[in-house]
Amino acid sequence: MFLTIVLVVFCAVSLTSHQQFNGNNGDLKGFHYELLLTHLTAIEYRIQTTLHEIAQNHSRQLEELKLRTSVCGAPSLALDTSARNNTLLPGHNQINFHRETISGIGTDRSVDGEWVMFQWRFNGSLLFNRTWGEYRAGFGDTEGEHWIGLDNLHQMLAKGRHELLVVMESFHGSTVYAHYDMFSIGTEREQFVIKTIGKYRGTAGDSLSFHIGSKFSTYDQDNDVHPSNCASQYNGGWWYKNCYSCMLNGEYVTSAEQNYQERGLIWVSYTGPFNSLKSTKMMIRQRSS
């Protein structure tokens, strides 16, 4: 890429020199002047495009390097353990988790209060197409995009009855939610199967109840009931069935990248199968009764 930039700049200099040599005492007028401006504009566009490609490749290579490092056993992608404003999860596998305070979603005040976030996506900065081991342990930073880990999620849900809240934002600026008054998952031996999804209430529609009884799948561990591997097909681990009615860990795409394809963060009852969400938050809290 660097050689390409050098070549483009060299061509620009050469073109300028050539126009000056053939002009009237170096005075570029009329057709020659317009031609030079046209060429320089094209060259500027090519340089900007090349620099953008370099930046994209650098980000992608860095993310792939992090992924390979994590697979080899390094702790580079473990959840952040700095104190910040998070709360330490008790137990042998201590991590920090993000607490989110909800105050008024539409007219429903029953979901107001403090929740523990276990999934957060909002800009695509974190790769979610990861291995079974990473989804089990957790990855990302609790102050940014992250997945708290299936082991940690199961550990929290095992301590009493819990409810689930999913808050979603569209690229049009609308915020909707899905609330379930019960939620539980199995152990790793049970492939973290969704055991319980309670009564639905909300504005997003109920796309999660379809997944009751679904085991968690990743591209390297296929536990769905579809003939192919849904996690590989949609680039993210999830409780796939045949394959999904909602999928919030898929490939992050912007509104301009959707192109009527089944890509992105999907909640079919709200987005349909082809429109991705801009952001998602998945949260739990222990029920008071």
Side-chain angles (χ1 to χ4, degrees), residues 145-163:
E145 293 199 327
H146 69 276
W147 174 260
I148 202 171
L150 290 162
D151 265 341
N152 298 314
L153 180 60
H154 174 263
Q155 182 181 343
M156 288 188 289
L157 292 174
K159 299 180 184 303
R161 299 173 66 184
H162 284 73
E163 52 190 322

Side-chain angles (χ1 to χ4, degrees), residues 9-25:
V9 174
F10 175 77
C11 290
V13 174
S14 299
L15 176 61
T16 304
S17 300
H18 177 72
Q19 291 288 359
Q20 290 176 338
F21 179 80
N22 287 289
N24 250 336
N25 296 322

